[in-house]
């Protein structure tokens, strides 16, 4: 039994299969982030990145490139098996993704948000919402060890001054603000603030990994899975192709590399059951290559369709109030503008921990937009592509403006135009939340099984049809719990 990838869908599937007595091999292209480098840190410093920062890049490619209009953020690095990848799908869209044991949980902002039930029912009408909200979302949040900052801590923690400033200004113009659960340990954060433990969230760490405090999957689901004694993780090994023997065995072509990227071994392994959980892009790419390359020609024609960016767009505004020099990288608050009939969105209040008083507040919108793209594999360029165009994010920008414009008007403040490439006000050409490509109930059956391919499953963000209205990992985890409990474990036990 093989699982490709070690992010949210993979970690859940591995744990539940192992608990049911199955031996599981996880194949993960990134490394295990559990041993310190020569500087004593597992992950590099955010403002002094090295090869650990990014997946085989010569230069970092951070979401924000400029400070005061100067392109000073990105720095040259040695190509290495780093933790953050940026995959360029088209001129108008690139996708950030985690690489390593734990997938996106190693690099993400830790916001653990359960979607609005009405929207969940709208996007996945055939999924039993009562079971999701009664059983699988609670199970996912427990497995992820989500916790919520207390009202007292949010009101007083110096590192959340930026959140308080934004919440107050939002409330002044009549917007609703909410506290958001986190997988970062809020007790650890309090200890950081008190100066009794090494800093991580308070030391600008997030997109290149957190050295402390973060309950990433290697500390939760994957640790539990390994604890069963039935799960093995093969790291630095990429699944490069899937074919099938006449007896039904799936054969995976594996390419193992060292941390500098040199190939150390190529081999094939066979398995009777295969779960693709390599993320929206990874799982879709493997299926596209198998179908279009002729190895699995009967895969559904819909593979690649229904891909979306979850309505992601980013921007920042000047404030007329101080937001604090030391800011927690772990967002705990948002503006909930989901009731806006024109352009609904959840708008995160994000930090910009630049190490000086920046007088700015950032926002990442997760907007409800209908735009979807189709992913295809360009064999010549050996790259995944999407027909996503710049204008496809116009609805997300509109949703973000409906939150930020009233605050700018009221407080006589302005958008910052000095952060993104080309002087853009809106960071609309990248996303953190790739979703879809192997949609539940379209490319797969209602539980992630690929029709006509016994023993082949998808169980990750590729199942979610392009948008879920909030940050997605709780949804991905809960759907994976559901598919494991209702299909994968019963099928394979
Ligand atoms: C900077 C950033 C911030 C984010 N913040 C949040 C947040 O606050 N809250 C939230 O809910 N979501 C957030 N997200 C999104 C969230 O992390 C993803 O939605 C989630 O990780 C997707 O889970 P997954 O199981 O689909 O795949 P992933 O977590 O992406 O895991 C897929 C794994 O498969 C591996 N893989 C891919 N292809 C292959 C292959 N061919 N062979 C072997 N291994 C392979 C990858 O290396 C990776 O480890 C953020 C993402 C980023 C990048």
């Amino acid at each position: 039994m093989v699982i490709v990838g070690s992010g949210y869908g993979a970690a859940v599937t591995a744990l539940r299969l192992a608990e049911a007595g199955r031996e599981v091999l996880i194949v993960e292209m990134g490394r295990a982030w559990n041993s310190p480098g020569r500087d004593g840190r597992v992950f590099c410093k955010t403002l002094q990145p090295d090869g650990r920062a990014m997946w085989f890049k010569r230069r970092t490619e951070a979401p924000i490139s400029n400070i005061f209009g100067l392109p000073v953020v990105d720095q040259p690095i040695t190509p290495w098996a780093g933790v953050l990848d940026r995959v360029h799908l088209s001129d108008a869209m690139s996708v950030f993704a985690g690489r390593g044991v734990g997938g996106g949980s190693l690099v993400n902002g830790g916001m653990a948000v359960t979607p609005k039930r009405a929207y969940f029912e709208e996007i996945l009408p055939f999924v039993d919402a009562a079971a999701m909200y009664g059983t699988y979302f609670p199970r996912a949040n427990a497995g992820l060890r989500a916790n919520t900052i207390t009202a007292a801590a949010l009101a007083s923690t110096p590192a959340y001054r930026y959140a308080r400033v934004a919440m107050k200004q939002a409330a002044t113009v009549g917007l609703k603000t909410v506290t958001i659960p986190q997988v970062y340990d809020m007790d650890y954060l309090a200890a950081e603030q008190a100066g009794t433990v090494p800093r991580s969230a308070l030391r600008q760490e997030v997109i290149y990994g957190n050295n402390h405090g973060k309950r990433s999957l290697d500390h939760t689901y994957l640790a539990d899975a390994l604890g069963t004694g039935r799960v093995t993780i093969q790291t630095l090994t990429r699944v490069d192709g899937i074919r099938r023997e006449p007896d039904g065995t799936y054969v995976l072509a594996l390419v193992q590399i060292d941390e500098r990227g040199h190939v150390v071994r190529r081999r094939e392994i066979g398995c009777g059951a295969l779960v693709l959980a390599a993320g929206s892009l990874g799982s879709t790419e493997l299926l596209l290559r198998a179908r279009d390359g002729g190895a699995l020609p009967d895969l559904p024609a819909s593979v690649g369709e229904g891909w979306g960016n979850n309505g992601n767009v980013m921007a920042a505004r000047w404030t007329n109030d101080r937001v604090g020099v030391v800011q927690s990288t772990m967002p705990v608050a948002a503006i909930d503008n989901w009731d806006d009939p024109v352009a609904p969105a959840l708008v995160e209040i994000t930090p910009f921990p630049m190490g000086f008083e920046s007088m700015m507040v950032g926002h990442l919108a997760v907007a409800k937009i209908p735009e979807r793209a189709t992913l295809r594999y360009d064999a010549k360029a050996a790259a995944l592509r999407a027909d996503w165009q710049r204008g496809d994010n116009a609805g997300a920008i509109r949703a973000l403006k409906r939150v930020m414009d009233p605050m700018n008007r009221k407080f006589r403040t302005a958008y910052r135009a000095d952060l993104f490439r080309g002087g853009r006000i809106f960071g609309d050409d990248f996303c953190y939340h790739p979703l879809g490509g192997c949609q539940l109930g379209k490319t797969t059956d209602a539980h992630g099984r690929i029709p006509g391919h016994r023993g082949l499953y998808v169980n990750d963000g590729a199942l979610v049809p392009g948008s879920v209205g909030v940050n997605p990992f709780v949804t991905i985890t809960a759907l994976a719990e559901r598919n494991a409990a209702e299909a994968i474990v019963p099928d394979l036990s």
Side-chain angles (χ1 to χ4, degrees):
M1 158 81 246
V2 176
I3 299 175
V4 187
S6 63
Y8 292 91
V12 170
T13 315
L15 174 62
R16 299 311 174 202
L17 280 168
E19 285 174 341
R22 292 294 305 245
E23 296 288 325
V24 176
L25 172 66
I26 291 178
V27 182
E28 166 56 52
M29 66 193 274
R31 64 194 294 274
W33 291 92
N34 53 12
S35 50
R38 265 178 283 170
D39 60 357
R41 300 162 183 279
V42 174
F43 297 103
C44 65
K45 288 185 181 172
T46 307
L47 300 185
Q48 287 164 266
D50 56 34
R52 288 173 289 185
M54 295 210 74
W55 182 253
F56 297 106
K57 304 270 185 201
R58 295 193 175 282
R59 209 176 161 76
T60 56
E61 296 182 20
I64 302 276
S65 56
N66 297 3
I67 297 178
F68 299 122
L70 301 171
V72 292
V73 177
D74 287 324
Q75 298 174 33
I77 52 172
T78 306
W80 207 72
V83 73
L84 182 68
D85 201 356
R86 185 170 184 164
V87 181
H88 297 271
L89 294 178
S90 77
D91 290 345
M93 182 52 61
S94 61
V95 173
F96 285 95
R99 298 283 176 238
V101 174
S105 76
L106 298 165
V107 298
N108 67 32
M111 300 179 86
V113 196
T114 301
K116 307 272 182 192
R117 181 164 175 162
Y119 189 47
F120 183 85
E121 290 177 352
E122 185 182 322
I123 59 165
L124 292 169
F126 53 88
V127 174
D128 179 356
M132 288 299 297
Y133 285 81
T135 302
Y136 299 119
F137 281 118
R139 188 177 293 173
N141 280 311
L144 293 165
R145 323 265 207 274
N147 63 164
T148 305
I149 192 167
T150 63
L154 179 54
S156 62
T157 303
Y160 282 117
R161 185 180 166 92
Y162 73 93
R164 292 193 294 276
V165 167
M167 289 174 93
K168 194 170 158 200
Q169 297 197 345
T172 306
V173 297
L175 293 164
K176 183 169 103 186
T177 59
V178 289
T179 306
I180 298 284
Q182 255 292 341
V183 295
Y184 198 86
D185 182 342
M186 286 295 137
D187 290 336
Y188 191 89
L189 194 129
E192 284 182 57
Q193 191 72 75
T196 56
V197 294
R199 288 184 162 191
S200 182
L202 268 50
R203 206 176 181 191
Q204 295 151 328
E205 292 182 351
V206 56
I207 58 170
Y208 302 144
N210 282 91
N211 282 298
H212 310 280
K214 180 98 163 284
R215 292 166 177 166
S216 48
L217 290 166
D218 47 332
H219 297 286
T220 59
Y221 273 102
L222 288 171
D224 295 346
L226 289 169
T228 65
R230 297 196 186 92
V231 175
T232 309
I233 306 181
Q234 167 85 52
T235 57
L236 288 168
T237 302
R238 185 165 52 89
V239 175
D240 200 33
I242 307 168
R243 61 182 178 82
R244 205 174 185 195
E245 292 286 338
D247 69 356
T249 304
Y250 291 99
V251 179
L252 307 183
L254 304 187
V255 182
Q256 191 178 342
I257 58 169
D258 64 19
E259 286 160 337
R260 292 198 179 91
H262 301 129
V263 174
V264 293
R265 192 177 177 198
R266 289 178 196 272
R267 66 183 167 122
E268 286 191 333
I269 58 166
C271 56
L274 175 61
V275 178
L276 301 181
S280 163
L281 300 189
S283 294
T284 307
E285 176 178 326
L286 284 169
L287 290 175
L288 286 171
R289 289 175 68 184
R291 185 191 67 194
D292 301 345
L296 297 176
D298 297 331
L299 285 171
S302 61
V303 174
E305 292 175 5
W307 184 86
N309 69 343
N310 205 22
N312 279 187
V313 62
M314 205 186 254
R317 49 181 282 268
W318 293 100
T319 58
N320 52 5
D321 200 351
R322 287 176 299 111
V323 289
V325 174
V326 177
Q327 301 184 12
S328 167
T329 53
M330 295 292 142
V332 293
I335 298 164
D336 183 350
N337 205 31
W338 197 252
D339 293 335
D340 182 346
V342 176
L346 181 77
V347 178
E348 287 174 22
I349 298 168
T350 57
F352 275 102
M354 291 185 171
F356 54 86
E357 175 54 62
S358 62
M359 299 292 285
M360 68 187 261
V361 164
H363 294 293
L364 171 70
V366 183
K368 179 183 179 182
I369 58 169
E371 280 71 19
R372 301 287 179 269
T374 298
L375 299 174
R376 64 180 177 82
Y377 186 71
D378 179 344
K380 246 192 200 157
L384 201 60
R385 303 284 185 217
D387 54 355
W388 184 273
Q389 291 166 8
R390 179 102 191 256
D392 290 339
N393 233 3
I397 291 176
R398 184 160 71 134
L400 186 50
K401 278 172 68 66
R402 285 178 68 81
V403 166
M404 294 179 73
D405 281 355
M407 289 191 279
N408 277 337
R409 272 196 299 271
K410 174 80 186 172
F411 295 99
R412 296 170 188 251
T413 50
Y415 288 97
R416 288 196 64 146
D418 58 334
L419 302 171
F420 300 107
R421 287 175 184 82
R424 292 175 176 197
I425 286 175
F426 296 100
D428 61 345
D429 59 349
F430 61 86
C431 81
Y432 293 162
H433 302 168
L435 293 173
C438 313
Q439 296 175 83
L440 193 68
K442 286 193 180 141
T443 299
T444 72
D445 76 357
H447 286 89
R449 301 180 186 97
I450 306 243
H453 295 74
R454 199 184 155 85
L456 181 59
Y457 303 83
V458 176
N459 208 19
D460 62 13
L463 295 175
V464 182
S467 156
V468 68
V470 296
N471 315 58
F473 72 61
V474 170
T475 304
I476 294 168
T477 306
L479 278 173
E481 286 280 16
R482 165 192 178 267
N483 298 340
E486 297 180 9
I488 303 174
V489 171
D491 286 0
L492 303 181
S493 298

